[in-house]
Amino acid sequence: MYGDLTVRATPESSGVRTEIEVANTYERKTTYSVQISIADGAGWTAYNRFWLQDVPPGKTGRADALIGSKDMGPVPQVPKIYVDEFSPVVDRK
């Protein structure tokens, strides 16, 4: 857990399925910019930026993506998750 952010990484045959959830605890709609890196600790590293737009107050935004590829080498079986950026942008209206 990273603030309002939860990240899961599951190895698949062609990359690491990465799922994020952000609970909006603000009183206004919020857009989140989240950059996640997945690594194996031995040179395999891949990243992705997620945009969760206009998450309503009290709701949870979700997104997932397959990060990396088997062309990068063996997919990490115990992926290390790094949160490179977690930026909420609260609606000012």
Side-chain angles (χ1 to χ4, degrees):
M1 185 93 167
Y2 185 87
D4 302 323
L5 174 66
T6 302
V7 181
R8 289 180 211 59
T10 306
E12 293 186 359
S13 61
S14 58
V16 177
R17 173 70 51 195
T18 305
E19 302 168 70
I20 69 167
E21 293 183 355
V22 179
N24 183 1
T25 58
Y26 295 99
E27 295 179 5
R28 296 174 186 246
K29 288 190 295 185
T30 304
T31 295
Y32 295 89
S33 172
V34 182
Q35 182 169 310
I36 302 295
S37 293
I38 303 295
D40 67 356
W44 192 101
T45 303
Y47 66 92
N48 192 40
R49 178 174 305 278
F50 296 90
W51 286 95
L52 300 174
Q53 293 188 300
D54 297 328
V55 178
K59 300 295 182 181
T60 299
R62 293 176 176 81
D64 71 281
L66 189 64
I67 298 179
S69 70
K70 60 185 176 184
D71 295 340
M72 297 171 58
V75 173
Q77 294 307 296
V78 182
K80 298 177 187 306
I81 301 169
Y82 300 95
V83 179
D84 301 322
E85 179 187 320
F86 178 71
S87 300
V89 180
V90 178
D91 188 354
R92 296 179 191 228
K93 293 180 186 176

